[in-house]
Amino acid sequence: LETDEIWDDSLKEAARTGTHVKDVFPRLAIARKLHLMVAAEAGYDLDETQAAAFTEYYGFGFMLKKGLASRASIVLALNVVLETANIESHVWTAFARDEYRLANENQQYTFKVAAIRAARKLRWEREGDSLGGGDVVTYVAARAVGVTDEDIALVAEQECDERVAEVAETLASLKGAAKAKYVKEVRALLDKAKEEMAMDAEENASSSDSDSDSDS
């Protein structure tokens, strides 16, 4: 429960200050002595000297690549391990394979949900719904797991709930060139649909004009 509270507070501070939550949570967690709570929960009764050393050499980080962060990927480890893992993620696959796999699976799920929520917020804002728009924390949570403006815009442009979920889930599972290719394909489908709608509108307008001429 304490971890959840600190995570929520970290999202709010990140939203307020424009800082990435990956930089906020570790600082707040240490300041609120979450690491000492974890040690106590694990059965370690640290004296003052041990607690000071633990605070100096250990810290919180995230088991995700490229500076991403999620509640489920939080890890407490030696600072040197966290620094090394930021360079080479095989640190986690070597020493915490199952936890690393679960963290990445959760990241994809969180990405999907965050993208859908952010896209819904964007649609509400475009429609002028000031009550349903949510707050900036929605975007902070989305950014933390790698959701981009392009992802949000693409999901927001889908016409039905099924396509919203499908596109968000696929974006969550792809990276690099594969993701760029998928985005291009979805954009092409959207452009084609818009062109067909424009053609239909022109045909309907022409048909209405012809009917008017006939009546006169």
Side-chain angles (χ1 to χ4, degrees):
L1 292 176
E2 186 69 23
T3 304
D4 291 335
E5 183 177 332
I6 297 173
W7 175 251
D8 289 342
D9 288 345
S10 297
L11 289 173
K12 292 173 184 175
E13 180 176 323
R16 187 175 65 255
T17 62
T19 309
H20 197 296
V21 69
K22 70 179 177 61
D23 299 316
V24 178
F25 179 85
R27 173 175 53 77
L28 286 186
I30 293 296
R32 297 188 189 180
K33 304 186 185 320
L34 180 61
H35 58 305
L36 298 180
M37 298 179 200
V38 173
E41 185 72 20
Y44 294 98
D45 184 16
L46 305 180
D47 61 30
E48 187 174 338
T49 301
Q50 292 170 326
F54 191 39
T55 301
E56 180 178 358
Y57 293 109
Y58 278 74
F60 289 92
F62 302 93
M63 283 181 151
L64 297 177
K65 298 178 181 178
K66 297 180 180 179
L68 303 181
S70 70
R71 167 64 181 84
S73 68
I74 295 169
V75 60
L76 173 63
L78 281 163
N79 290 324
V80 66
V81 172
L82 296 174
E83 292 169 5
T84 304
N86 284 334
I87 301 170
E88 179 49 74
S89 63
H90 288 316
V91 168
W92 300 130
T93 58
F95 298 104
R97 181 181 302 173
D98 292 339
E99 290 79 4
Y100 179 70
R101 183 182 298 119
L102 287 171
N104 279 278
E105 288 291 333
N106 176 267
Q107 186 267 340
Q108 291 191 21
Y109 170 76
T110 305
F111 182 109
K112 174 183 174 181
V113 173
I116 291 173
R117 286 179 175 170
R120 180 180 60 186
K121 180 179 184 298
L122 179 61
R123 286 198 305 273
W124 280 335
E125 289 174 348
R126 286 174 177 172
E127 294 167 2
D129 186 348
S130 59
L131 296 178
D135 56 50
V136 73
V137 171
T138 300
Y139 279 115
V140 172
R143 294 283 186 271
V145 290
V147 180
T148 66
D149 287 336
E150 184 177 39
D151 298 330
I152 294 169
L154 196 65
V155 174
E157 289 184 46
Q158 305 309 309
E159 292 297 324
C160 63
D161 291 343
E162 289 77 8
R163 280 293 290 167
V164 165
E166 178 186 339
V167 171
E169 183 171 5
T170 305
L171 288 172
S173 66
L174 298 176
K175 292 182 174 56
K179 181 178 177 180
K181 180 182 178 183
Y182 177 73
V183 169
K184 186 176 180 180
E185 291 172 351
V186 175
R187 279 277 169 222
L189 289 174
L190 288 170
D191 291 342
K192 183 179 179 181
K194 288 177 182 177
E195 289 176 4
E196 290 176 350
M197 288 177 64
M199 291 176 61
D200 289 343
E202 289 180 4
E203 288 179 2
N204 289 335
S206 298
S207 176
S208 296
D209 291 342
S210 296
D211 292 340
S212 298
D213 292 339
S214 297
D215 292 338
S216 61

